[in-house]
């Protein structure tokens, strides 16, 4: 059980490092590279660099708020 958890944690860490490196390169480095350079084909248009994290933030805050609301409603029913 412990080795499986460590492997899953390691895979999640590698994925997080990849996403961080990709996003950092996309948002910080690519604006300084000529738009017809071959590296630009690996990245989405720059406006998605703001839209995607914003949508993830709104969805995350909505999920947290919904969870807290449901917990508060359920705890009130138990009393």
């Amino acid at each position: 059980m412990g080795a499986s958890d460590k492997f899953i944690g390691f895979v999640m860490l590698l994925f997080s490092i990849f996403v961080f490196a990709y996003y950092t390169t996309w948002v910080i480095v690519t604006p300084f590279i000529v738009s017809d350079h071959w590296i630009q084909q690996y990245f989405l248009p720059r406006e998605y660099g703001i839209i995607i994290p914003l949508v993830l933030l709104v969805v995350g805050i909505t999920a947290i708020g919904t969870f807290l609301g449901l917990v508060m409603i359920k705890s009130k029913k138990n009393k």
Side-chain angles (χ1 to χ4, degrees), residues 3 14 29 34 36-37 45-47 78:
L14 287 179
V29 176
V34 182
D36 61 345
H37 194 269
R46 289 187 194 106
E47 56 267 9
N78 289 339

Side-chain angles (χ1 to χ4, degrees), residues 2-15:
S4 175
D5 291 342
K6 285 184 179 183
F7 177 73
I8 291 172
F10 181 71
V11 170
M12 289 172 59
L13 177 66
L14 287 179
F15 180 74

Side-chain angles (χ1 to χ4, degrees), residues 38-56:
W38 63 271
I39 197 81
Q40 295 284 1
Q41 69 183 353
Y42 296 109
F43 299 97
L44 292 171
R46 289 187 194 106
E47 56 267 9
Y48 289 114
I50 300 299
I51 294 171
I52 292 172
L54 184 64
V55 168
L56 290 174

